[in-house]
Amino acid sequence: MLEELRIRGLGVIHDATLPLGEGLTVVTGETGAGKTMVVTGLLLLFGGRADSAQVRTGTDSASVDGRLGLPAGSPAAQRVAEAGGELDDDGTLVLRRSVNANGRSRAHVGGAAAPVAVLSALADRLVAVHGQSDQQRLTRPSEQRAALDRYAGVELAEYAEAFTQWRQATARLADRTSRAREMQREADLLVYGIAEIEDADPQPGEDTELAALATRLAHADALRLAARTAHDALLGDADDPATDAADVSNLIGAAARALGQQAGDDAELDALAARLTDLSAVLTDLGAELASYGERLDADPQRLAQAEERRAVLSGLTRKYGDDLEAVLEWADAARKQLAELDVSDEALAALAAERDAAAARAATLAAGISAQRTEAAARLSKAVTGELAGLAMPNAEVTVEVRRRAPSAGSPTLRIDAAEAGASADGVDDVEMLLRSHPDAPALPVQRGASGGELSRVMLAIEVCLAGTDPVPTMVFDEVDAGVGGRAAVEVGRRLARLARDHQVLVVTHLPQVAAYANRHIVVDKPLATSTGGVTRSDVHAVEGDQRVAELARMLAGSESDTAREHAAELLATASADAVRDADGPRPKPARGTTGSCSGSTAG
């Protein structure tokens, strides 16, 4: 609940604090006093567009602060925590929005700076503003469909997903069919490439191994001679004993024998002799390995030719499909997946058609369920709005909410529902229109054509009252939605708003004393002085009670505070008080199915 609103430097308001609370709060004042600045401030506080023109002349900035009571575990409180804000110790949330003279704005949520989008997200959970622009919006068929869905509790998410899947499956099948020849050529190239790679059967790293092997085979004689020369230098040539005296092994042996003659005489010399023995063993092993290496070298020209031929095959693959064999193998894997998607066989087309048909059937089933919800709710809404009109001095008027299956149009997607084709979109297969029959002999016409100016205001207000009960938000604001209404109908407007305030916090900006009389709290915006310093208009905002409230109602009734006007004002307050007692003792209207709100649909008075 919105507990307090403070506005500074906004339009004609210099600095004003509005005490708010449960029930119905009305804001009244003379034309031009700045009543709409209250709604402007609320819109600004909850993420509305900032405009430098809203900043009061002579000030550098405008600001709006709001204090709200929030349950600790509510979704709104969680959103505040996500934004880095905190609730006060008493569980209230402070919001702030400021706009400087250059049009730049800042937002604070729970003491933390935050994007304006956070304020907008909180608004979706906390407040709904209903104004004359909303009434005009409701004359559009798309908005009427959305309003009926809200009243009926229709959830479109599952159907919208099914509709998207159906459209995507339809597009895939159409694309596969129309591009069959092109895709077949592409598939043939992929098949050829995959077959070429599979026939060659390259192994990761095989090209590197073959390069090393070819180099070894091409230089086998030189490598063998080098190994033999090294072997002979270490161990001598068995075929030429005359060279033995000069080989390394014999020289090390002679050194070891020389040291061995003094074995035991000196520990340090004995250690060096042991190292010579180890070195001799290492040389023997190394010589053996050199001999083995030379014997294993194969200068077979045929094997070299095979290696070069294999390298040529692999080189051909890397020229076509990748920089190395790993890239070639990756291309083959990707080609196999792509080939599966390019399948244009009869079996593949049949599978796509089956997928499309299954998606269409699911979308059609969900669409039929939504149509049934809308049709059932349309009857209830029609009855409820017609009942509201009877209490708004239109006893012979009848509103019908009509749900029609959308006719297919050329090029539009169609769904078969109940053995008939219907034009489909992401919001279903229905067109919704609200029709008004102003009296029994009049034809039923769309509300924007079947009502006069005053009647349209009452029709739209009746619809708003019924739809407002479906808003899940706790606070609702009505900005002069009672324009064009007067007399007995104005009393009924006040009575209905008071009933709505039994379950919501309701703030109403009004020019009707009949509406203001039903308020739990009455706030007046006036201009005690036409100008202030510098000749800038300045308004004052204050709550009125008792005699002050009677005086304000008298001013609204007669433009003066004469005794007659004050008597009439007191009578209005007495009537409203009696109605409040009677309504409090009576049963609460049942909420619309699938909603948290209510609209009795009954006449009053």
Side-chain angles (χ1 to χ4, degrees), residues 8 106 117 140 154 199 334 353 418 498 579 585:
R8 286 177 288 185
R106 293 184 178 181
R140 298 198 292 267
V154 169
D199 288 344
D418 302 330
D579 285 344
D585 293 337

Side-chain angles (χ1 to χ4, degrees), residues 550-604:
V550 172
E552 171 63 10
L553 291 177
R555 180 199 64 77
M556 297 173 70
L557 282 165
S560 68
E561 299 180 19
S562 65
D563 291 341
T564 302
R566 292 177 69 90
E567 289 176 4
H568 192 181
E571 182 181 354
L572 274 179
L573 287 171
T575 300
S577 178
D579 285 344
V581 173
R582 183 169 59 252
D583 285 345
D585 293 337
R588 290 179 180 269
K590 295 181 180 179
R593 186 176 303 174
T595 68
T596 58
S598 62
C599 183
S600 64
S602 61
T603 59

Side-chain angles (χ1 to χ4, degrees), residues 111-319:
V116 175
V118 176
L119 296 179
S120 299
L122 290 174
D124 293 338
R125 297 181 172 95
L126 299 176
V127 64
V129 178
H130 303 266
Q132 295 185 53
S133 61
D134 298 276
Q135 292 185 352
Q136 293 302 317
R137 190 175 67 246
L138 270 175
T139 62
R140 298 198 292 267
S142 61
E143 294 295 335
Q144 293 177 2
R145 192 269 310 155
L148 177 61
D149 284 354
R150 190 167 80 243
Y151 184 82
V154 169
E155 294 291 343
L156 288 171
E158 185 179 4
Y159 164 77
E161 179 185 2
F163 175 81
T164 299
Q165 292 174 349
W166 166 54
R167 296 294 294 150
Q168 290 174 344
T170 301
R172 284 195 297 270
L173 177 59
D175 179 69
R176 189 75 60 92
T177 302
S178 63
R179 295 178 54 230
R181 184 174 298 175
E182 175 187 347
M183 295 172 71
Q184 186 61 62
R185 287 196 298 268
E186 188 175 351
D188 290 343
L189 291 174
L190 292 174
V191 168
Y192 176 83
I194 293 170
E196 186 177 14
I197 294 172
E198 290 178 346
D199 288 344
D201 192 23
Q203 301 301 315
E206 184 183 1
D207 49 352
T208 303
E209 295 175 3
L210 283 173
L213 176 61
T215 301
R216 179 182 295 179
L217 291 174
H219 300 84
D221 290 339
L223 294 172
R224 188 183 299 109
L225 178 59
R228 182 63 185 176
T229 301
H231 172 273
D232 292 348
L234 293 176
L235 301 179
D237 186 355
D239 297 331
D240 187 5
T243 63
D244 289 352
D247 63 56
V248 175
S249 178
N250 282 331
L251 293 174
I252 291 178
R257 287 191 297 273
L259 295 179
Q261 293 176 1
Q262 303 299 322
D265 294 341
D266 183 76
E268 184 176 354
L269 193 62
D270 289 344
L272 292 173
R275 290 174 64 185
L276 277 174
T277 302
D278 293 340
L279 181 57
S280 178
V282 171
L283 289 173
T284 301
D285 291 342
L286 183 56
E289 291 180 14
L290 288 169
S292 175
Y293 173 80
E295 292 172 356
R296 285 185 286 106
L297 278 176
D298 186 2
D300 184 358
Q302 183 177 357
R303 189 180 178 198
L304 177 59
Q306 291 174 346
E308 292 294 353
E309 182 179 353
R310 179 63 175 170
R311 290 184 69 196
V313 171
L314 298 181
S315 178
L317 295 181
T318 56
R319 282 197 306 271

Side-chain angles (χ1 to χ4, degrees), residues 496-553:
R496 278 153 176 75
L497 291 173
R499 288 177 180 171
L500 192 62
R502 294 166 65 185
D503 299 302
H504 296 77
Q505 179 186 32
V506 179
L507 177 63
V508 179
V509 177
T510 183
H511 65 284
L512 293 178
Q514 297 94 327
V515 172
Y518 279 86
N520 303 102
R521 188 173 293 97
H522 191 151
I523 295 174
V524 177
V525 181
D526 59 19
K527 293 180 287 188
L529 296 176
T531 59
S532 62
T533 304
V536 179
T537 302
R538 175 172 175 171
S539 290
D540 178 48
V541 180
H542 57 278
V544 292
E545 297 179 350
D547 288 343
Q548 289 183 327
R549 188 178 183 192
V550 172
E552 171 63 10
L553 291 177

